[in-house]
Amino acid sequence: MMEAFVTLATNDSYAIGALVWAYALRQLQTSKHICIMVTDAVSHELRSLLAEVADSVQPVQPVLVPASATSAATAALNLLGRPDLQGESLGLAKLRVWQLSQFAKVAYMDADTLPLVNIDELLDRDELSAAPDPGWPDWFNSGVMVLRPSEATFQLLMRRAADSPGSLVDGSDQGLLNTCLADRWKSADISRRLPFGYNCLSYAFYSYLPALRHFRDSIKVVHFAGAGQKPWQLSRRPLMDQTAEFRAEFLGEWWTVYDACVLHRLASAGHSVSVK
Ligand code: UDP
Ligand code: MN
């Protein structure tokens, strides 16, 4: 069975992120299948563009937060400063990746990630491989995860979300995954702990500059995590302050792929290019 890189887009804005992600993987000559999960809210135009670069575009249904957990999830997302992730609980649609039974193994990556080098070797790892979250390093960040699709795992996660609202600690997929699947990551074999270079979060661009400089050559994937950090929401000319060196470099990498592969396709598909 195939091994795949998979991402998710639930609207046209994240679909632009998914396009850049997929073209970057192509440019880096991945030998793995590229699959993009989309919900109904992604327009026909963007779907066609996604289909040009991906090996498959997989329609998925949104995952609603169970009624029993709605108020806990809303409160948690507000606390996290991510009220934008509410609504249809789009964060949870990510869990559908466990239902992609056509793949033996998947490297799931958020649509706001950008691979800088070929990372096919990620798929030599096993479930659940992920990098620590810099906000709480005993937890993994769910923006890059190696996993094995399994309906049983998907059902386990759904049951937990419904039965114990407290498992939606942060109102999103990451808290649920960490409370539910800790035994597959933290207490499993150390190879499940990915080096931070496989999921270098934008926080690190300013929080620990000497380390970033030291490890620059081992950064394989950058992740523009956080509200207002997405390249397609930012100006092309980021503020040049002391911390801007890497931020500007990595945003520049994203724009390079966008300009080479995405811009003209969006324009000829008649999509109003709203990106600054
Ligand atoms: N996502 C999406 N639509 C949304 C929000 C999120 O498709 O409205 C998907 C997308 O793949 C995104 C991932 O869910 O990368 C996780 O959300 P985000 O990256 O915004 O979270 P962060 O990494 O900033 O915590
Ligand atoms: Mn992300």
Side-chain angles (χ1 to χ4, degrees), residues 161-242:
D163 297 348
S164 46
S167 63
L168 283 169
V169 210
D170 60 0
S172 189
D173 63 287
Q174 181 163 304
L176 176 65
L177 288 168
N178 273 279
T179 49
C180 238
L181 304 181
D183 58 335
R184 302 188 195 182
W185 181 67
K186 197 170 41 177
S187 40
D189 158 350
I190 190 70
S191 69
R192 306 278 196 274
R193 182 191 177 286
L194 293 180
F196 192 60
Y198 281 105
N199 185 1
C200 182
L201 268 74
S202 33
Y203 311 114
F205 302 171
Y206 51 81
S207 63
Y208 201 176
L209 222 44
L212 193 61
R213 192 165 287 145
H214 179 77
F215 286 108
R216 172 63 191 86
D217 293 342
S218 55
I219 298 176
K220 297 173 191 290
V221 176
V222 289
H223 181 180
F224 301 98
Q229 297 295 322
K230 315 305 175 205
W232 60 89
Q233 300 171 333
L234 294 169
S235 157
R236 276 178 185 247
R237 270 177 255 105
L239 284 176
M240 290 308 285
D241 58 27
Q242 243 196 325

Side-chain angles (χ1 to χ4, degrees), residues 7-11 14 82 84-85 90-91 94 108-113 141 143 173 203 223-227 230:
T7 194
L8 163 72
T10 67
N11 53 44
Y14 279 90
R82 293 303 300 269
D84 58 306
L85 294 179
L90 303 158
K94 191 192 283 192
Y108 168 84
M109 300 173 74
D110 273 2
D112 60 345
T113 60
N141 181 275
D173 63 287
Y203 311 114
H223 181 180
F224 301 98
K230 315 305 175 205

